[in-house]
Amino acid sequence: MFDNNVFLKDTCKNVSENGKVIGYEMQTNITYYRAIPLSMMEYVHVAVDGEAVADEDIRVSLDQNDWFTQKEAETVTTYKWEYGDPLYIRVLKDGGLSKGSHKVKLTVAVRTAYIPVPLEGTKEREVVID
């Protein structure tokens, strides 16, 4: 239902800090029609070329300043994920994605006050890393 909100086109890229590629990141919109506190994010799953990424290697941020593990995000009530604003998803991996084409699959689920099951969206994109 919300698959078109997941994994925004042309947002997957390698990320560098202090001249070193530390991983890669992408953006997603919320899989709901209104805002929620970040603590209501149920999970984020990433797979590259058919291989799942470990949850402990995934970080999320609403402002690209404060990054949280998924476990930490469970307690973050002061950040509100607004409809239409992206969530930045970073995967820590030395060297990031290798140059060339990759199939990246992103799954995002959130909890809401009115629906007893998480709302999940999945999108797979072919990305090219230069």
Side-chain angles (χ1 to χ4, degrees), residues 70-116:
Q70 293 188 74
K71 189 74 174 155
E72 291 168 335
E74 292 175 4
T75 66
V76 178
T77 59
T78 55
Y79 285 81
K80 197 172 188 182
W81 186 6
E82 297 285 348
Y83 181 83
D85 289 347
L87 177 71
Y88 298 89
I89 298 165
R90 183 175 286 178
V91 175
L92 301 180
K93 180 181 185 222
D94 285 338
L97 292 174
S98 62
K99 290 185 179 189
S101 180
H102 299 277
K103 285 194 177 198
V104 179
K105 182 178 178 182
L106 177 62
T107 302
V108 178
V110 299
R111 294 183 314 278
T112 65
Y114 307 107
I115 301 171

Side-chain angles (χ1 to χ4, degrees), residues 51-83:
E51 186 173 325
V53 171
D55 286 347
E56 58 267 14
D57 293 334
I58 298 173
R59 303 291 184 272
V60 296
S61 176
L62 291 168
D63 62 7
Q64 292 189 291
N65 290 315
D66 294 322
W67 291 89
F68 304 100
T69 66
Q70 293 188 74
K71 189 74 174 155
E72 291 168 335
E74 292 175 4
T75 66
V76 178
T77 59
T78 55
Y79 285 81
K80 197 172 188 182
W81 186 6
E82 297 285 348
Y83 181 83

Side-chain angles (χ1 to χ4, degrees), residues 4 12 18 20 34 46 49 55 66 74-75 83 99 103 107 113 116 122-124 126 130:
N4 288 331
C12 189
N18 301 320
K20 180 183 174 192
R34 57 191 288 191
V46 178
D49 299 326
D55 286 347
D66 294 322
E74 292 175 4
T75 66
Y83 181 83
K99 290 185 179 189
K103 285 194 177 198
T107 302
T122 299
K123 184 75 168 185
E124 184 173 56
E126 181 131 356
D130 295 325

